[in-house]
Amino acid sequence: DTAVSQTPKYLVTQMGNDKSIKCEQNLGHDTMYWYKQDSKKFLKIMFSYNNKELIINETVPNRFSPKSPDKAHLNLHINSLELGDSAVYFCASSPRLASGTSTGELFFGEGSRLTVL
Amino acid sequence: SQKIEQNSEALNIQEGKTATLTCNYTNYSPAYLQWYRQDPGRGPVFLLLIRENEKEKRKERLKVTFDTTLKQSLFHITASQPADSATYLCALVREGSQGNLIFGKGTKLSVKP
């Protein structure tokens, strides 16, 4: 019973293509995230959704568009892929929105490795 | 601007010894700090959370300390085992932000038998 599952695990594509990564969580959490981990292993937040509402959009190019059809799903669509988009993309969820006073430990998926040629 | 730093990129120790990893932060006073473990090819896994009013937190062989004066958290693994080899990440919520949990770059721990 996978808690946070994302597909596909591997994605190899050409520059200029459009691709999507899907994420689903069965933990009943209110908040979901997309993180990008680059070749230097630095994990950087991209988007945060709480109850299907966009909370954070961290200076991500407009080519990246998240979609949350319901609380359990957060998909990531990427248009006009560029070489620099190559990375591992992690979906995560937390019981509540992390804030200065409210803890929100994250549960991560296994990652989707995107390679743009 | 707010920064979170894990000074050591890599730490090599002998099995049975205590591993100590450091996480420093600047320009901020977080209410809590989290530690995660990441194995190669896997997503990070939550380990421990420590609040600002807690000096120390333990879980089995793991111990985390939080010094708000030094703006530092230490993560200890006692009686380390080769299976503890992984990258360990610290994380905290960006000041004035909701849902923005930022991570340090991680320390890769290698425990040699």
Side-chain angles (χ1 to χ4, degrees):
Chain A
D1 291 345
T2 306
V4 180
S5 58
Q6 47 184 118
T7 55
K9 190 169 173 65
Y10 299 98
L11 191 50
V12 181
T13 188
Q14 298 287 331
M15 259 195 328
N17 283 350
D18 303 338
K19 290 295 177 187
S20 292
I21 306 172
K22 295 186 176 182
C23 180
E24 175 182 3
Q25 55 97 0
N26 62 4
L27 297 167
H29 289 168
D30 285 344
T31 311
M32 294 186 74
Y33 308 79
W34 277 109
Y35 278 83
K36 178 180 180 180
Q37 190 168 47
D38 59 27
S39 56
K40 295 183 180 178
K41 305 299 182 188
F42 187 42
L43 198 62
K44 188 173 180 182
I45 192 166
M46 299 174 68
F47 301 103
S48 158
Y49 268 76
N50 190 54
N51 281 318
K52 301 196 306 176
E53 180 186 347
L54 179 66
I55 301 297
I56 290 172
N57 179 342
E58 275 288 300
T59 59
V60 177
N62 290 338
R63 299 183 294 104
F64 290 79
S65 52
K67 289 267 185 343
S68 182
D70 54 59
K71 269 184 11 173
H73 296 85
L74 180 62
N75 304 322
L76 183 65
H77 188 76
I78 315 170
N79 290 326
S80 304
L81 279 157
E82 299 177 358
L83 293 177
D85 297 333
S86 296
V88 181
Y89 292 85
F90 285 100
C91 176
S93 71
S94 62
R96 64 201 75 82
L97 195 62
S99 69
T101 54
S102 173
T103 65
E105 47 268 41
L106 269 57
F107 294 74
F108 282 86
E110 292 300 311
S112 296
R113 180 176 292 277
L114 172 65
T115 303
V116 182
L117 303 175
Chain B
S1 64
Q2 184 182 348
K3 281 186 180 178
I4 180 168
E5 292 177 343
Q6 293 182 254
N7 295 335
S8 298
E9 280 196 24
L11 179 64
N12 299 313
I13 64 167
Q14 206 66 34
E15 183 177 8
K17 301 292 186 186
T18 296
T20 299
L21 285 64
T22 305
C23 178
N24 295 294
Y25 57 92
T26 58
N27 301 325
Y28 184 37
S29 297
Y32 60 88
L33 191 144
Q34 302 182 8
W35 283 90
Y36 290 77
R37 168 182 173 144
Q38 186 173 22
D39 290 284
R42 309 294 296 273
V45 174
F46 172 78
L47 295 175
L48 280 169
L49 178 149
I50 186 164
R51 298 177 187 275
E52 60 177 343
N53 60 351
E54 297 174 318
K55 289 285 189 267
E56 182 180 296
K57 200 82 167 279
R58 289 177 187 262
K59 179 182 175 183
E60 297 172 356
R61 293 183 296 110
L62 308 181
K63 184 178 86 171
V64 173
T65 62
F66 196 5
D67 189 324
T68 55
T69 303
L70 291 178
K71 293 188 180 295
Q72 181 181 81
S73 175
L74 298 179
F75 178 83
H76 306 272
I77 306 175
T78 57
S80 60
Q81 304 165 0
D84 295 327
S85 298
T87 296
Y88 292 86
L89 307 160
C90 64
L92 49 80
V93 173
R94 179 166 285 166
E95 185 175 26
S97 171
Q98 283 193 317
N100 195 346
L101 197 66
I102 59 173
F103 286 80
K105 290 189 177 182
T107 296
K108 184 176 180 180
L109 174 67
S110 296
V111 182
K112 306 293 184 189

